[in-house]
Amino acid sequence: MKRISDQMEDLLNRQMTREAYQAQVYLAYGAWAEANSFPGIATFLYGHMQEEREHMFKILKYILDRGGEVKVEALNAAPACPTNIGDCLQHILQHEIENSKQIDKIVRLAHDESDWATFNFGQWFVQEQIEEETLINGVIDKYNLASTQIGGNHNLYEFDKDLASASQEATTARDETLE
Ligand SMILES: [Fe+2]
Ligand SMILES: [Fe+2]
């Protein structure tokens, strides 16, 4: 039995496609970073591509769990190559913020429809987007440190190495305790 509205089904399908698009963005930027001799950044971006695919799949499963119909649709082309790492990271942050706004639409509709199941499901993504924005902001902070000091190229080399093993998870306020 279908337990989501037609409008919600449509919105969730669009979000599923959006998460797949996010994966394409990380894939394209990862390839650009690798081609431009930043293998660590590429590793980080490819790792994040995988996270976005998981988000896509999570939404697919939820639509099916609620008796909806999954519609796998065409993806927009990935954006043009960035001009440098700073530009690359800023574009990624903008994509994440835009994605957060799309998640908000799902939560808002769920609230309006008193669809508490989807409201609850959406909260996972709300939290995830807080983490993702925090994660990328943290990488931008590191990049700014690495790129603005004397000896910038050496620092950039270290920054790239650092990102190869960087976590895909950010610690947010919600995770913090004083223990
Ligand atoms: Fe995502
Ligand atoms: Fe993301």
Side-chain angles (χ1 to χ4, degrees), residues 25-82:
V25 170
Y26 283 99
L27 177 69
Y29 286 176
W32 172 83
E34 189 166 356
N36 285 275
S37 306
F38 291 106
I41 294 168
T43 298
F44 177 78
L45 295 175
Y46 292 149
H48 212 81
M49 169 192 71
Q50 215 48 43
E51 296 258 317
E52 300 296 358
R53 293 242 164 97
E54 281 165 25
H55 298 164
M56 172 198 72
F57 198 61
K58 205 174 179 76
I59 296 170
L60 178 147
K61 296 297 264 185
Y62 181 75
I63 295 169
L64 293 176
D65 280 351
R66 303 304 285 164
E69 186 186 345
V70 167
K71 293 180 189 121
V72 176
E73 292 182 332
L75 305 181
N76 290 333
C81 287

Side-chain angles (χ1 to χ4, degrees), residues 85-96:
I85 294 295
D87 184 50
C88 173
L89 296 173
Q90 284 301 332
H91 274 95
I92 284 169
L93 180 62
Q94 285 312 315
H95 273 97
E96 288 297 346

Side-chain angles (χ1 to χ4, degrees), residues 105-169:
K105 285 185 190 168
I106 293 172
V107 175
R108 189 178 304 124
L109 180 65
H111 185 272
D112 290 350
E113 292 183 342
S114 298
D115 174 357
W116 306 121
T118 306
F119 186 81
N120 178 267
F121 176 72
Q123 293 306 316
W124 186 89
F125 279 90
V126 170
Q127 174 63 15
E128 183 68 14
Q129 284 307 118
I130 296 171
E131 285 179 22
E132 303 234 326
E133 288 185 31
T134 303
L135 176 72
I136 303 302
N137 272 314
V139 174
I140 289 174
D141 286 346
K142 278 188 187 172
Y143 169 76
N144 286 341
L145 271 176
S147 63
T148 53
Q149 302 207 345
I150 297 166
N153 279 345
H154 176 73
N155 288 337
L156 217 47
Y157 177 76
E158 291 294 326
F159 168 72
D160 180 66
K161 275 207 297 190
D162 188 49
L163 274 196
S165 56
S167 170
Q168 295 289 345
E169 319 288 334

